[in-house]
Amino acid sequence: MDLVGLLKSQFLCHLVFCYVFIASGLIVNTIQLLTLLLWPINKQLFRKINCRLSYCVSSQLVLLLEWWSGTECVIYTDPQAYPKYGKENAIVVLNHKFEIDFLCGWSLAERFGVLGGSKVLAKKELAYVPIIGWMWYFTEMVFCTRKWEQDRKTVSKSLLHLRDYPEKYFFLIHCEGTRFTEKKHQISMQVAQAKGLPSLKHHLLPRTKGFAVTVRSLRNVVSAVYDCTLNFRNNENPTLLGVLNGKKYHADLYVRRIPLEEVPEDEAECSAWLHKLYQEKDAFQEEYARTGTFPETPMVPPRRPWTLVNWLFWASLLLYPFFRFLVNMVSSGSSLTLAGVILLFFVASMGVRWMIGVTEIDKGSAYGNMDNKQKHSD
């Protein structure tokens, strides 16, 4: 390991990133709370401001991937479709196999300049989590309980609110509902067999109802579906901890632009269309496993400087008082104070590990448990 790599793996560096993220995130959340005064006066101004405030937070995670770890993502796509990316609203369908696939989706949105306004379909519990969850609440993220009887009306209502959203956005959706594991895959394929659906080798059975209501609610506002199939070279198994340690990964992303007019409006036909899409995605993954490449032309969208500029702004604003506080505590000479500093670092360490732990694949949803087997339906 070289000197730079050794430095990136040190906990003190991780602590700096964690501190800047938490402190700036809480400041952003406070400003977002104040912008509520704008909602009854000028809703679109409220949205534009919160779109940019959201970027202040989410771009810090993209910075870790693009600038800190240096991970580069090669996009394989049709050169005629490429100029439209970032110039239109789109539903982005991502496979869900890796710990950092959500981060690669955000990186895609950042490369095309739509990260601040981009949306996801997130668990309702996340709306109560400080920083990310609160940020999502103010940017009108779509939350669900994963119980379709409860979600049908609330999800549709939230999506309809996005029809007049003033900023371009990607609506990122993992139709599989949870990350791929062998246990989940085995149970998913049992469901597929029971329903008479073709087996998938590299994906779980997609949940079609959420996708269908998304298409129906955003039709004539969203121009296309971007079918995105992600993989990593040399059988790399990327993790968020690896990114935080500065490890560079090599991602390949196959992006197909499908005009929304080609997606059926009828729910049953839309469901069949999505199942066919996942069969095609499975074939692409199988081809990648055999050849190490995807179809179409490889391209690398330029890395924009704004994630780095944003982080440097917050770091210059927040790090000086933080380090001065630590120096004053250590120089006081008090045993109690020194114990407090050690406790602070211990708690920070546990906090970093907890934030990373919730992204680990084996700590995902309860999908795949035997008592969930009967509940897995479209």
Side-chain angles (χ1 to χ4, degrees):
M1 182 182 292
D2 59 18
L3 183 59
V4 174
L6 181 64
L7 179 65
K8 288 182 176 181
S9 67
Q10 298 306 302
F11 171 69
L12 284 178
C13 291
H14 303 169
L15 181 65
V16 168
F17 278 115
C18 186
Y19 166 73
V20 172
F21 179 76
I22 292 174
S24 63
L26 292 175
I27 291 172
V28 166
N29 287 162
T30 302
I31 298 173
Q32 288 181 308
L33 183 62
L34 296 175
T35 64
L36 283 174
L37 297 172
L38 283 174
W39 179 266
I41 302 171
N42 192 329
K43 183 174 74 172
Q44 298 299 57
L45 178 60
F46 167 90
R47 287 169 150 177
K48 290 180 178 181
I49 291 173
N50 276 280
C51 180
R52 283 147 185 83
L53 290 171
S54 169
Y55 183 84
C56 290
V57 177
S58 55
S59 67
Q60 293 187 47
L61 299 178
V62 175
L63 169 123
L64 287 174
L65 184 73
E66 294 187 345
W67 292 91
W68 184 250
S69 84
T71 294
E72 191 61 83
C73 183
V74 177
I75 294 178
Y76 293 79
T77 192
D78 181 355
Q80 295 184 347
Y82 185 84
K84 298 179 181 180
Y85 299 159
K87 306 295 191 301
E88 61 184 2
N89 296 333
I91 298 169
V92 179
V93 178
L94 295 155
N95 58 320
H96 208 7
K97 191 173 183 178
F98 306 100
E99 287 186 14
I100 66 168
D101 49 19
F102 78 96
L103 203 50
C104 291
W106 283 13
S107 178
L108 179 71
E110 162 58 21
R111 293 294 176 103
F112 293 108
V114 295
L115 176 61
S118 289
K119 314 296 177 189
V120 298
L121 187 62
K123 292 186 294 185
K124 185 178 180 180
E125 293 82 2
L126 293 176
Y128 306 106
V129 176
I131 304 174
I132 290 289
W134 295 352
M135 173 197 76
W136 281 354
Y137 175 81
F138 285 104
T139 50
E140 300 168 75
M141 208 64 68
V142 180
F143 293 101
C144 64
T145 63
R146 291 186 175 179
K147 297 178 180 178
W148 187 242
E149 296 76 15
Q150 300 176 24
D151 289 334
R152 182 183 294 273
K153 291 183 178 180
T154 56
V155 169
S156 179
K157 184 178 179 181
S158 297
L159 287 165
L160 289 173
H161 288 161
L162 299 179
R163 292 188 64 84
D164 64 343
Y165 200 78
E167 303 285 335
K168 290 289 184 289
Y169 59 85
F170 287 170
F171 189 89
L172 302 144
I173 182 169
H174 294 288
C175 294
E176 295 165 88
T178 186
R179 288 195 184 101
F180 183 101
T181 66
E182 289 302 326
K183 179 181 178 181
K184 295 173 185 177
H185 178 253
Q186 184 180 31
I187 293 202
S188 182
M189 291 307 98
Q190 290 174 3
V191 175
Q193 185 178 14
K195 293 186 175 184
L197 296 169
S199 294
L200 302 173
K201 184 176 180 180
H202 302 280
H203 299 84
L204 305 178
L205 200 65
R207 311 283 182 94
T208 62
K209 290 182 179 178
F211 176 78
V213 75
T214 300
V215 170
R216 184 171 62 251
S217 300
L218 297 179
R219 194 174 289 276
N220 301 321
V221 173
V222 164
S223 302
V225 171
Y226 295 171
D227 171 35
C228 297
T229 305
L230 176 69
N231 219 323
F232 288 85
R233 298 175 197 171
N234 306 316
N235 294 316
E236 291 175 336
N237 184 26
T239 63
L240 189 55
L241 181 59
V243 171
L244 192 60
N245 283 328
K247 184 175 180 179
K248 183 175 183 177
Y249 298 108
H250 305 84
D252 289 323
L253 182 67
Y254 179 41
V255 183
R256 288 191 297 167
R257 182 186 183 275
I258 305 170
L260 203 65
E261 298 79 42
E262 297 182 13
V263 183
E265 293 192 33
D266 178 76
E267 184 171 324
E269 293 179 2
C270 184
S271 174
W273 184 91
L274 185 63
H275 282 298
K276 183 175 182 294
L277 182 78
Y278 267 77
Q279 293 161 31
E280 294 170 354
K281 290 170 77 69
D282 220 53
F284 296 142
Q285 287 284 45
E286 189 66 18
E287 180 71 9
Y288 187 93
R290 187 177 66 84
T291 66
T293 187
F294 284 121
E296 297 293 356
T297 305
M299 301 179 180
V300 180
R303 181 173 58 179
R304 304 191 330 148
W306 308 119
T307 55
L308 182 60
V309 170
N310 173 73
W311 190 85
L312 289 174
F313 165 76
W314 287 109
S316 62
L317 184 69
L318 297 169
L319 285 179
Y320 175 72
F322 175 66
F323 284 122
R324 185 170 181 176
F325 168 73
L326 289 180
V327 168
N328 288 339
M329 289 188 70
V330 172
S331 61
S332 69
S334 168
S335 300
L336 185 61
T337 301
L338 290 175
V341 171
I342 294 172
L343 179 62
L344 175 66
F345 276 87
F346 176 78
V347 171
S349 176
M350 293 299 101
V352 170
R353 298 297 173 184
W354 176 80
M355 291 173 69
I356 292 171
V358 297
T359 71
E360 293 175 355
I361 289 175
D362 61 357
K363 296 181 181 177
S365 77
Y367 182 109
N369 293 342
M370 293 307 294
D371 59 349
N372 277 336
K373 183 176 176 180
Q374 301 299 324
K375 298 179 183 179
H376 179 51
S377 64
D378 282 347

